[in-house]
Short mmCIF file of all heavy atoms in Angstrom, two decimals:
data_model
loop_
_atom_site.label_atom_id
_atom_site.label_comp_id
_atom_site.label_asym_id
_atom_site.label_seq_id
_atom_site.Cartn_x
_atom_site.Cartn_y
_atom_site.Cartn_z
N GLU A 416 -91.61 -188.92 168.02
CA GLU A 416 -91.26 -189.65 166.80
C GLU A 416 -90.24 -188.84 166.00
O GLU A 416 -90.37 -187.61 165.92
CB GLU A 416 -92.50 -189.81 165.91
CG GLU A 416 -93.51 -190.79 166.42
CD GLU A 416 -94.70 -190.92 165.45
OE1 GLU A 416 -94.66 -190.34 164.35
OE2 GLU A 416 -95.64 -191.61 165.81
N ALA A 417 -89.27 -189.52 165.39
CA ALA A 417 -88.24 -188.80 164.63
C ALA A 417 -88.84 -188.12 163.41
O ALA A 417 -89.65 -188.73 162.70
CB ALA A 417 -87.15 -189.78 164.19
N GLN A 418 -88.44 -186.88 163.19
CA GLN A 418 -88.92 -186.17 161.99
C GLN A 418 -88.44 -186.83 160.72
O GLN A 418 -89.05 -186.71 159.67
CB GLN A 418 -88.46 -184.72 162.02
CG GLN A 418 -89.22 -183.93 163.05
CD GLN A 418 -88.94 -182.44 162.95
OE1 GLN A 418 -88.13 -182.00 162.14
NE2 GLN A 418 -89.61 -181.67 163.78
N SER A 419 -87.32 -187.56 160.83
CA SER A 419 -86.74 -188.23 159.65
C SER A 419 -87.58 -189.41 159.20
O SER A 419 -87.39 -189.92 158.11
CB SER A 419 -85.35 -188.75 160.01
OG SER A 419 -85.49 -189.82 160.95
N GLY A 420 -88.48 -189.89 160.07
CA GLY A 420 -89.27 -191.08 159.74
C GLY A 420 -88.58 -192.37 160.16
O GLY A 420 -89.09 -193.45 159.88
N CYS A 421 -87.42 -192.29 160.81
CA CYS A 421 -86.74 -193.51 161.28
C CYS A 421 -87.73 -194.27 162.19
O CYS A 421 -88.23 -193.73 163.16
CB CYS A 421 -85.47 -193.16 162.04
SG CYS A 421 -84.48 -194.60 162.46
N TRP A 422 -87.96 -195.54 161.87
CA TRP A 422 -89.03 -196.28 162.56
C TRP A 422 -88.64 -196.64 163.99
O TRP A 422 -89.48 -196.66 164.88
CB TRP A 422 -89.39 -197.54 161.76
CG TRP A 422 -90.75 -198.04 162.08
CD1 TRP A 422 -91.92 -197.70 161.46
CD2 TRP A 422 -91.10 -198.94 163.14
NE1 TRP A 422 -92.97 -198.34 162.07
CE2 TRP A 422 -92.50 -199.11 163.09
CE3 TRP A 422 -90.37 -199.63 164.11
CZ2 TRP A 422 -93.19 -199.93 163.99
CZ3 TRP A 422 -91.06 -200.44 165.00
CH2 TRP A 422 -92.46 -200.59 164.94
N THR A 423 -87.37 -196.94 164.22
CA THR A 423 -86.94 -197.34 165.56
C THR A 423 -86.22 -196.20 166.27
O THR A 423 -85.65 -195.32 165.63
CB THR A 423 -85.96 -198.54 165.51
OG1 THR A 423 -84.79 -198.14 164.78
CG2 THR A 423 -86.61 -199.74 164.84
N VAL A 424 -86.24 -196.26 167.61
CA VAL A 424 -85.48 -195.26 168.37
C VAL A 424 -84.99 -195.88 169.69
O VAL A 424 -85.39 -195.45 170.76
CB VAL A 424 -86.28 -193.96 168.59
CG1 VAL A 424 -87.50 -194.15 169.47
CG2 VAL A 424 -85.37 -192.89 169.20
N HIS A 425 -84.17 -196.88 169.59
CA HIS A 425 -83.61 -197.52 170.78
C HIS A 425 -82.65 -196.53 171.49
O HIS A 425 -82.01 -195.73 170.84
CB HIS A 425 -82.85 -198.77 170.35
CG HIS A 425 -82.55 -199.69 171.45
ND1 HIS A 425 -83.23 -200.87 171.63
CD2 HIS A 425 -81.64 -199.63 172.45
CE1 HIS A 425 -82.75 -201.50 172.69
NE2 HIS A 425 -81.78 -200.76 173.21
N HIS A 426 -82.52 -196.66 172.82
CA HIS A 426 -81.86 -195.59 173.57
C HIS A 426 -81.25 -196.10 174.88
O HIS A 426 -81.45 -197.25 175.27
CB HIS A 426 -82.91 -194.55 173.93
CG HIS A 426 -83.80 -195.09 175.02
ND1 HIS A 426 -84.56 -196.22 174.85
CD2 HIS A 426 -83.95 -194.71 176.32
CE1 HIS A 426 -85.18 -196.50 175.98
NE2 HIS A 426 -84.83 -195.60 176.89
N SER A 427 -80.60 -195.19 175.59
CA SER A 427 -80.20 -195.39 176.99
C SER A 427 -80.03 -194.01 177.62
O SER A 427 -79.94 -193.00 176.90
CB SER A 427 -78.91 -196.20 177.10
OG SER A 427 -77.87 -195.53 176.41
N ILE A 428 -80.00 -193.99 178.95
CA ILE A 428 -79.92 -192.71 179.66
C ILE A 428 -78.84 -192.85 180.73
O ILE A 428 -78.84 -193.83 181.49
CB ILE A 428 -81.29 -192.35 180.28
CG1 ILE A 428 -82.28 -192.04 179.15
CG2 ILE A 428 -81.17 -191.16 181.24
CD1 ILE A 428 -83.72 -191.87 179.58
N VAL A 429 -77.92 -191.89 180.79
CA VAL A 429 -76.78 -192.05 181.69
C VAL A 429 -76.42 -190.72 182.34
O VAL A 429 -76.56 -189.66 181.72
CB VAL A 429 -75.58 -192.66 180.91
CG1 VAL A 429 -75.00 -191.67 179.92
CG2 VAL A 429 -74.49 -193.18 181.83
N ASP A 430 -75.98 -190.80 183.59
CA ASP A 430 -75.48 -189.62 184.31
C ASP A 430 -73.95 -189.65 184.21
O ASP A 430 -73.32 -190.59 184.69
CB ASP A 430 -75.94 -189.72 185.77
CG ASP A 430 -75.35 -188.62 186.65
OD1 ASP A 430 -74.71 -187.70 186.12
OD2 ASP A 430 -75.54 -188.71 187.88
N TYR A 431 -73.37 -188.64 183.59
CA TYR A 431 -71.91 -188.58 183.48
C TYR A 431 -71.43 -187.24 184.00
O TYR A 431 -71.81 -186.19 183.46
CB TYR A 431 -71.50 -188.77 182.01
CG TYR A 431 -70.00 -188.81 181.79
CD1 TYR A 431 -69.20 -189.71 182.46
CD2 TYR A 431 -69.40 -187.94 180.87
CE1 TYR A 431 -67.82 -189.75 182.26
CE2 TYR A 431 -68.02 -187.98 180.65
CZ TYR A 431 -67.25 -188.89 181.35
OH TYR A 431 -65.88 -188.92 181.15
N ARG A 432 -70.67 -187.29 185.06
CA ARG A 432 -70.12 -186.07 185.67
C ARG A 432 -71.22 -185.05 185.98
O ARG A 432 -71.07 -183.85 185.71
CB ARG A 432 -69.05 -185.45 184.78
CG ARG A 432 -67.88 -186.41 184.58
CD ARG A 432 -66.79 -185.82 183.74
NE ARG A 432 -65.64 -186.71 183.70
CZ ARG A 432 -64.59 -186.56 182.90
NH1 ARG A 432 -64.54 -185.54 182.07
NH2 ARG A 432 -63.60 -187.41 182.95
N GLY A 433 -72.37 -185.55 186.48
CA GLY A 433 -73.43 -184.65 186.94
C GLY A 433 -74.38 -184.17 185.88
O GLY A 433 -75.31 -183.43 186.18
N GLN A 434 -74.18 -184.57 184.64
CA GLN A 434 -75.12 -184.21 183.56
C GLN A 434 -75.73 -185.50 183.03
O GLN A 434 -75.02 -186.47 182.79
CB GLN A 434 -74.39 -183.46 182.44
CG GLN A 434 -75.20 -183.21 181.19
CD GLN A 434 -76.36 -182.25 181.40
OE1 GLN A 434 -76.17 -181.12 181.83
NE2 GLN A 434 -77.57 -182.72 181.12
N TRP A 435 -77.06 -185.48 182.84
CA TRP A 435 -77.72 -186.65 182.26
C TRP A 435 -77.74 -186.53 180.74
O TRP A 435 -77.91 -185.42 180.21
CB TRP A 435 -79.15 -186.79 182.79
CG TRP A 435 -79.16 -187.22 184.24
CD1 TRP A 435 -79.01 -186.42 185.33
CD2 TRP A 435 -79.28 -188.56 184.73
NE1 TRP A 435 -79.04 -187.18 186.48
CE2 TRP A 435 -79.22 -188.50 186.13
CE3 TRP A 435 -79.45 -189.81 184.13
CZ2 TRP A 435 -79.31 -189.63 186.94
CZ3 TRP A 435 -79.54 -190.93 184.93
CH2 TRP A 435 -79.47 -190.85 186.31
N TYR A 436 -77.56 -187.67 180.08
CA TYR A 436 -77.54 -187.70 178.61
C TYR A 436 -78.49 -188.78 178.09
O TYR A 436 -78.58 -189.87 178.68
CB TYR A 436 -76.14 -188.02 178.08
CG TYR A 436 -75.12 -186.95 178.43
CD1 TYR A 436 -74.33 -187.08 179.57
CD2 TYR A 436 -74.96 -185.83 177.63
CE1 TYR A 436 -73.41 -186.11 179.91
CE2 TYR A 436 -74.03 -184.85 177.96
CZ TYR A 436 -73.26 -184.99 179.10
OH TYR A 436 -72.34 -184.02 179.42
N LEU A 437 -79.13 -188.47 177.00
CA LEU A 437 -79.91 -189.47 176.26
C LEU A 437 -79.08 -189.90 175.05
O LEU A 437 -78.67 -189.06 174.25
CB LEU A 437 -81.23 -188.86 175.78
CG LEU A 437 -82.06 -189.75 174.84
CD1 LEU A 437 -82.66 -190.93 175.61
CD2 LEU A 437 -83.19 -188.94 174.18
N PHE A 438 -78.81 -191.18 174.95
CA PHE A 438 -78.20 -191.75 173.75
C PHE A 438 -79.33 -192.43 172.96
O PHE A 438 -80.14 -193.15 173.55
CB PHE A 438 -77.08 -192.75 174.11
CG PHE A 438 -75.83 -192.07 174.59
CD1 PHE A 438 -75.74 -191.54 175.87
CD2 PHE A 438 -74.72 -191.93 173.76
CE1 PHE A 438 -74.59 -190.89 176.31
CE2 PHE A 438 -73.57 -191.29 174.19
CZ PHE A 438 -73.51 -190.76 175.46
N TYR A 439 -79.37 -192.23 171.67
CA TYR A 439 -80.45 -192.79 170.85
C TYR A 439 -79.93 -192.91 169.43
O TYR A 439 -78.74 -192.71 169.18
CB TYR A 439 -81.70 -191.89 170.94
CG TYR A 439 -81.50 -190.47 170.45
CD1 TYR A 439 -81.99 -190.05 169.23
CD2 TYR A 439 -80.79 -189.53 171.22
CE1 TYR A 439 -81.80 -188.75 168.78
CE2 TYR A 439 -80.59 -188.24 170.77
CZ TYR A 439 -81.10 -187.86 169.55
OH TYR A 439 -80.89 -186.58 169.11
N HIS A 440 -80.76 -193.28 168.51
CA HIS A 440 -80.29 -193.34 167.13
C HIS A 440 -81.30 -192.72 166.17
O HIS A 440 -82.47 -192.55 166.49
CB HIS A 440 -79.90 -194.77 166.72
CG HIS A 440 -81.06 -195.73 166.61
ND1 HIS A 440 -81.04 -197.00 167.14
CD2 HIS A 440 -82.27 -195.61 166.02
CE1 HIS A 440 -82.18 -197.61 166.87
NE2 HIS A 440 -82.94 -196.80 166.20
N ASP A 441 -80.79 -192.38 164.99
CA ASP A 441 -81.62 -191.92 163.88
C ASP A 441 -80.95 -192.48 162.63
O ASP A 441 -80.08 -193.35 162.74
CB ASP A 441 -81.73 -190.39 163.89
CG ASP A 441 -82.99 -189.90 163.18
OD1 ASP A 441 -83.38 -190.50 162.16
OD2 ASP A 441 -83.59 -188.91 163.64
N LYS A 442 -81.34 -191.99 161.47
CA LYS A 442 -80.77 -192.57 160.24
C LYS A 442 -80.01 -191.52 159.45
O LYS A 442 -80.11 -191.45 158.23
CB LYS A 442 -81.87 -193.22 159.42
CG LYS A 442 -83.04 -192.28 159.13
CD LYS A 442 -84.01 -192.89 158.14
CE LYS A 442 -85.13 -191.92 157.86
NZ LYS A 442 -85.69 -192.01 156.55
N ASP A 443 -79.20 -190.72 160.17
CA ASP A 443 -78.50 -189.59 159.54
C ASP A 443 -77.70 -189.97 158.29
O ASP A 443 -77.65 -189.21 157.34
CB ASP A 443 -77.54 -188.94 160.56
CG ASP A 443 -78.29 -188.39 161.76
OD1 ASP A 443 -78.57 -189.16 162.68
OD2 ASP A 443 -78.61 -187.19 161.76
N LEU A 444 -77.03 -191.12 158.35
CA LEU A 444 -76.14 -191.49 157.24
C LEU A 444 -76.85 -192.34 156.19
O LEU A 444 -76.21 -192.80 155.24
CB LEU A 444 -74.92 -192.26 157.78
CG LEU A 444 -74.03 -191.47 158.75
CD1 LEU A 444 -72.93 -192.35 159.31
CD2 LEU A 444 -73.43 -190.26 158.04
N SER A 445 -78.13 -192.55 156.37
CA SER A 445 -78.87 -193.39 155.44
C SER A 445 -80.33 -192.90 155.36
O SER A 445 -81.24 -193.62 155.78
CB SER A 445 -78.81 -194.84 155.91
OG SER A 445 -79.66 -195.65 155.14
N PRO A 446 -80.54 -191.70 154.82
CA PRO A 446 -81.89 -191.14 154.85
C PRO A 446 -82.93 -192.02 154.18
O PRO A 446 -84.09 -192.01 154.58
CB PRO A 446 -81.75 -189.81 154.10
CG PRO A 446 -80.30 -189.53 154.04
CD PRO A 446 -79.56 -190.82 154.18
N GLY A 447 -82.50 -192.82 153.19
CA GLY A 447 -83.48 -193.60 152.43
C GLY A 447 -83.73 -195.00 152.99
O GLY A 447 -84.58 -195.72 152.46
N PHE A 448 -83.00 -195.41 154.01
CA PHE A 448 -83.14 -196.78 154.51
C PHE A 448 -82.91 -196.79 156.01
O PHE A 448 -81.79 -196.63 156.48
CB PHE A 448 -82.13 -197.69 153.80
CG PHE A 448 -82.21 -199.13 154.20
CD1 PHE A 448 -83.42 -199.81 154.21
CD2 PHE A 448 -81.06 -199.82 154.58
CE1 PHE A 448 -83.49 -201.14 154.59
CE2 PHE A 448 -81.12 -201.15 154.96
CZ PHE A 448 -82.34 -201.81 154.96
N ASP A 449 -83.99 -196.99 156.77
CA ASP A 449 -83.86 -196.81 158.23
C ASP A 449 -83.39 -198.06 158.97
O ASP A 449 -83.50 -198.12 160.19
CB ASP A 449 -85.16 -196.27 158.81
CG ASP A 449 -86.30 -197.27 158.76
OD1 ASP A 449 -86.10 -198.38 158.24
OD2 ASP A 449 -87.40 -196.93 159.24
N LYS A 450 -82.78 -199.00 158.24
CA LYS A 450 -82.15 -200.15 158.92
C LYS A 450 -80.63 -199.98 158.91
O LYS A 450 -79.89 -200.90 159.25
CB LYS A 450 -82.54 -201.47 158.24
CG LYS A 450 -84.05 -201.67 158.07
CD LYS A 450 -84.78 -201.78 159.40
CE LYS A 450 -86.27 -201.98 159.22
NZ LYS A 450 -87.01 -200.77 158.79
N ASN A 451 -80.17 -198.80 158.49
CA ASN A 451 -78.74 -198.43 158.57
C ASN A 451 -78.68 -197.15 159.40
O ASN A 451 -78.77 -196.04 158.88
CB ASN A 451 -78.15 -198.18 157.18
CG ASN A 451 -77.84 -199.45 156.42
OD1 ASN A 451 -77.51 -199.39 155.24
ND2 ASN A 451 -77.94 -200.60 157.05
N ARG A 452 -78.54 -197.32 160.71
CA ARG A 452 -78.76 -196.20 161.62
C ARG A 452 -77.45 -195.62 162.19
O ARG A 452 -76.38 -196.18 161.97
CB ARG A 452 -79.68 -196.67 162.74
CG ARG A 452 -81.04 -197.10 162.18
CD ARG A 452 -81.77 -198.05 163.06
NE ARG A 452 -81.09 -199.33 163.19
CZ ARG A 452 -81.50 -200.34 163.96
NH1 ARG A 452 -82.59 -200.19 164.69
NH2 ARG A 452 -80.83 -201.47 164.02
N SER A 453 -77.58 -194.54 162.91
CA SER A 453 -76.41 -193.85 163.48
C SER A 453 -76.76 -193.34 164.87
O SER A 453 -77.83 -192.77 165.07
CB SER A 453 -76.05 -192.64 162.62
OG SER A 453 -75.63 -193.07 161.35
N ILE A 454 -75.81 -193.52 165.79
CA ILE A 454 -76.10 -193.13 167.18
C ILE A 454 -75.86 -191.65 167.41
O ILE A 454 -75.01 -191.02 166.78
CB ILE A 454 -75.33 -194.00 168.20
CG1 ILE A 454 -73.82 -193.85 168.05
CG2 ILE A 454 -75.74 -195.45 168.07
CD1 ILE A 454 -73.04 -194.51 169.20
N ARG A 455 -76.63 -191.14 168.35
CA ARG A 455 -76.61 -189.71 168.69
C ARG A 455 -76.64 -189.56 170.21
O ARG A 455 -77.02 -190.50 170.91
CB ARG A 455 -77.88 -189.04 168.16
CG ARG A 455 -78.00 -188.99 166.66
CD ARG A 455 -79.42 -188.61 166.29
NE ARG A 455 -79.43 -187.77 165.12
CZ ARG A 455 -79.83 -186.51 165.10
NH1 ARG A 455 -80.31 -185.92 166.19
NH2 ARG A 455 -79.78 -185.79 164.01
N ALA A 456 -76.33 -188.35 170.69
CA ALA A 456 -76.49 -188.05 172.12
C ALA A 456 -76.97 -186.61 172.28
O ALA A 456 -76.57 -185.73 171.51
CB ALA A 456 -75.17 -188.22 172.85
N ASP A 457 -77.85 -186.41 173.24
CA ASP A 457 -78.29 -185.06 173.61
C ASP A 457 -78.47 -185.01 175.11
O ASP A 457 -78.68 -186.04 175.76
CB ASP A 457 -79.59 -184.68 172.88
CG ASP A 457 -79.31 -184.15 171.48
OD1 ASP A 457 -78.56 -183.16 171.37
OD2 ASP A 457 -79.80 -184.74 170.50
N LYS A 458 -78.39 -183.80 175.65
CA LYS A 458 -78.55 -183.64 177.11
C LYS A 458 -80.00 -183.90 177.51
O LYS A 458 -80.92 -183.59 176.74
CB LYS A 458 -78.14 -182.24 177.53
CG LYS A 458 -76.64 -182.04 177.44
CD LYS A 458 -76.23 -180.66 177.87
CE LYS A 458 -74.73 -180.51 177.69
NZ LYS A 458 -74.27 -179.14 177.72
N LEU A 459 -80.16 -184.45 178.72
CA LEU A 459 -81.51 -184.73 179.24
C LEU A 459 -81.61 -184.07 180.61
O LEU A 459 -80.66 -184.10 181.40
CB LEU A 459 -81.69 -186.25 179.33
CG LEU A 459 -83.00 -186.77 179.92
CD1 LEU A 459 -83.45 -188.04 179.16
CD2 LEU A 459 -82.85 -187.12 181.39
#
Side-chain angles (χ1 to χ4, degrees):
E416 288 182 6
Q418 287 189 358
S419 69
C421 187
W422 202 90
T423 62
V424 66
H425 196 105
H426 73 299
S427 58
I428 292 172
V429 70
D430 174 8
Y431 183 55
R432 299 182 174 171
Q434 172 67 57
W435 289 83
Y436 296 94
L437 173 71
F438 285 77
Y439 60 105
H440 68 226
D441 204 322
K442 53 171 181 150
D443 298 84
L444 298 175
S445 172
F448 181 50
D449 68 359
K450 308 295 180 286
N451 283 171
R452 298 157 295 177
S453 295
I454 62 170
R455 294 166 144 245
D457 276 302
K458 289 181 182 164
L459 177 143

